[in-house]
Amino acid sequence: MKYKREQKTTILVVVITAFVTTFTGSALNLSIPDLGGYFGVSAGAVGWLVTAYMLTVAALSVPFGKLADGAGRKRILTVGILIFSASSGAAAFGVSLWMLIALRVVQGVGGAMIFSTNIPVLIGAFSGEERGKILGYSIAATYTGLSAGPVLGGFLNYHLGWRSIFALTALIGAVALFLAWLRLPADKKNTSRRQPRDIRGNLLYVAMITLTMYGLSELDRGTLPFLVTGVGVAIGVLFVYRQLHTEHPVIQVRIFRKNPAYACANAAALLNYGATFAISYLLSIYLQAVKGYSSQTAGFILIAQPALMALLSPLAGRISDRFSPFLLSSIGMALCAGGLFLFAGIGETTSLFFIFAALVITGVGFAFFSSPNTNAVMSCVEEKDYGVASSILATMRSVGHTLSMVVVTVVVRLHMGEKALEDAGAELLTETMRTAFLLFAAACTAGVFISLKRNPSEKQD
């Protein structure tokens, strides 16, 4: 099928933004040791380069999604690309760690605007019969960014230094900005633009997400994070109460009760991202500390999973246009669970072929989960609510990533006390990893059944 020029431009803008936002994070991870040495700070301080961005994106995606549904998605997306690119360019000239952290917060503002609009802009330009197919392009670009990050980021960091990663990000963003500003189709008229904004609701949401995610990510640092998490949860209760009693809520909370398909698809996303995010973290340590591979070799082994995701996501998206996306996402989740159960059986003598096979299974599984599940979520809401729906899904991803690392932290503490994973013996390390993978496999298995559940009366596009 031939696409119109405007549709091709839309695909290109979304693909570029999906790529660059994920590439930057995965590439920057390889520069953290060098950044610590360059600025003479601890690894914990450098870790805020990741945390600051993650918290900002998670806290602001839904408010920007709501704003975009009313003010215009092209406008919010274009401004988001501008902020993301400009802050990336400025970061290339950073003179202190705290300046970089502040710029990562600004970059997170731009990232939140992009995440809340790129999928709605994409599916709004095509008919419902093609939704899964075009979503596959976006998700393939996301995993291409994840795949290219360690390889290209490692090359740039080694030969040109960490500043080159920010510079390349700014350059790619500038291309997307040019296309979005001059060639992206204008927004359709939306009567909801005249609706008043729930400012208090937005502030409560930002506080809820920021405090809860920060507290969860720091649970291994004493009692204060537990208190912060508790405050975040309490604010969350207040937020839900307000959303149920305001005329123009940030989130239509009742949709989670009235539309089981929508609620279950989001819950499945939370479980899947939570169960799979720590795979590369745990295996990178295993491959180096237990199997003795170099970091470069370990990176090339681990790239098999995101590469398969990128390759198969468009196919999975096309299939979800013909068959139930709920069923396909459940099959994908089941494959992920199978791969996690395989990882739970690793030991000191496990062959590389076994590890590679498990990576292939989880890679195929995630490809057949992500595109269809996104298709399922977006099919449950009206076009006027695409921004918020996409933002909630992005928040599920961020919270899932945080919970995944919380599980790793708790399991490590139970098995090793204060000893770091990198400093443990091979036997204790593999025992710890088996426990974590079993918990992740159980969560993924539960997600299979949640993903299958839907309201039979729910009509799909």
Side-chain angles (χ1 to χ4, degrees):
M1 179 180 293
K2 292 184 178 180
Y3 295 133
K4 299 177 182 177
R5 180 181 176 182
E6 290 184 345
Q7 290 177 318
K8 291 179 180 178
T9 300
T10 301
I11 292 175
L12 189 57
V13 169
V14 171
V15 163
I16 293 174
T17 53
F19 171 85
V20 73
T21 48
T22 51
F23 164 79
T24 305
S26 60
L28 193 61
N29 285 339
L30 292 173
S31 302
I32 285 179
D34 287 346
L35 283 162
Y38 184 88
F39 291 114
V41 296
S42 67
V46 179
W48 270 99
L49 286 173
V50 177
T51 303
Y53 177 80
M54 178 185 69
L55 286 176
T56 306
V57 168
L60 297 181
S61 289
V62 168
F64 277 130
K66 184 67 174 179
L67 178 64
D69 283 338
R73 293 164 190 153
K74 174 187 174 180
R75 182 182 305 173
I76 299 300
L77 175 60
T78 303
V79 173
I81 298 172
L82 174 62
I83 293 173
F84 187 88
S85 303
S87 58
S88 299
F93 299 95
V95 296
S96 71
L97 178 65
W98 300 112
M99 176 182 175
L100 283 184
I101 291 174
L103 286 170
R104 284 286 279 171
V105 171
V106 178
Q107 195 179 49
V109 174
M113 299 175 83
I114 293 171
F115 289 138
S116 63
T117 52
N118 58 356
I119 287 180
V121 164
L122 181 63
I123 63 178
F126 295 84
S127 64
E129 291 78 10
E130 297 179 282
R131 181 186 292 127
K133 178 181 178 181
I134 59 171
L135 282 172
Y137 296 147
S138 173
I139 292 176
T142 297
Y143 295 131
T144 300
L146 289 173
S147 303
V151 178
L152 183 55
F155 176 85
L156 290 172
N157 184 66
Y158 182 80
H159 292 283
L160 300 174
W162 58 267
R163 297 180 189 275
S164 63
I165 295 175
F166 287 114
L168 179 61
T169 298
L171 180 61
I172 296 174
V175 174
L177 179 63
F178 170 81
L179 292 171
W181 197 308
L182 298 180
R183 298 186 180 181
L184 202 64
D187 291 307
K188 297 178 182 178
K189 291 185 178 180
N190 189 344
T191 57
S192 66
R193 296 180 190 182
R194 294 187 293 271
Q195 293 180 358
R197 309 297 176 194
D198 182 12
I199 303 299
R200 292 182 182 178
N202 278 302
L203 293 176
L204 287 172
Y205 179 85
V206 170
M208 171 188 71
I209 293 295
T210 302
L211 293 176
T212 303
M213 288 191 62
Y214 172 75
L216 288 174
S217 65
E218 300 286 316
L219 281 183
D220 61 330
R221 299 182 182 274
T223 57
L224 180 60
F226 286 91
L227 295 175
V228 172
T229 303
V231 172
V233 171
I235 293 175
V237 173
L238 182 60
F239 170 77
V240 171
Y241 177 82
R242 178 173 178 80
Q243 298 309 286
L244 290 172
H245 295 84
T246 188
E247 186 177 357
H248 301 289
V250 180
I251 299 174
Q252 291 287 353
V253 176
R254 289 186 177 88
I255 193 175
F256 289 94
R257 177 176 59 84
K258 294 180 178 179
N259 192 332
Y262 179 78
C264 290
N266 275 287
L270 175 65
L271 287 172
N272 189 267
Y273 287 119
T276 58
F277 179 70
I279 289 177
S280 60
Y281 173 76
L282 292 172
L283 286 183
S284 63
I285 296 173
Y286 171 81
L287 290 170
Q288 295 176 72
V290 177
K291 306 301 286 185
Y293 293 109
S294 67
S295 58
Q296 182 177 8
T297 302
F300 277 111
I301 294 171
L302 293 174
I303 205 174
Q305 180 178 303
L308 276 169
M309 295 175 187
L311 183 65
L312 296 177
S313 289
L315 173 63
R318 286 196 296 270
I319 295 175
S320 73
D321 286 328
R322 299 183 57 189
F323 302 96
S324 168
F326 297 87
L327 177 60
L328 285 174
S329 61
S330 298
I331 293 173
M333 182 85 90
L335 288 172
C336 289
L340 287 165
F341 276 117
L342 290 179
F343 285 131
I346 62 174
E348 297 176 52
T349 60
T350 300
S351 68
L352 182 59
F353 176 80
F354 183 92
I355 299 296
F356 187 77
L359 284 170
V360 168
I361 291 172
T362 52
V364 173
F366 207 92
F368 276 84
F369 170 81
S370 194
S371 295
N373 191 68
T374 303
N375 192 3
V377 169
M378 303 309 289
S379 71
C380 291
V381 298
E382 298 178 16
E383 184 176 353
K384 66 181 181 65
D385 296 319
Y386 280 170
V388 171
S390 177
S391 301
I392 291 174
L393 194 58
T395 303
M396 292 297 106
R397 179 174 64 245
S398 297
V399 174
H401 291 173
T402 302
L403 291 175
S404 186
M405 296 311 296
V406 168
V407 169
V408 171
T409 299
V410 172
V411 170
V412 168
R413 183 174 292 276
L414 289 175
H415 279 269
M416 303 181 185
E418 297 298 327
K419 187 179 295 185
L421 275 171
E422 295 87 342
D423 300 329
E427 183 178 355
L428 181 58
L429 180 60
T430 53
E431 179 185 349
T432 302
M433 293 177 64
R434 284 195 295 268
T435 301
F437 280 128
L438 276 175
L439 291 173
F440 290 141
C444 216
T445 301
V448 173
F449 298 99
I450 292 176
S451 184
L452 277 171
K453 182 177 174 60
R454 64 171 294 192
N455 185 350
S457 64
E458 181 70 30
K459 182 180 178 180
Q460 276 194 242
D461 294 337

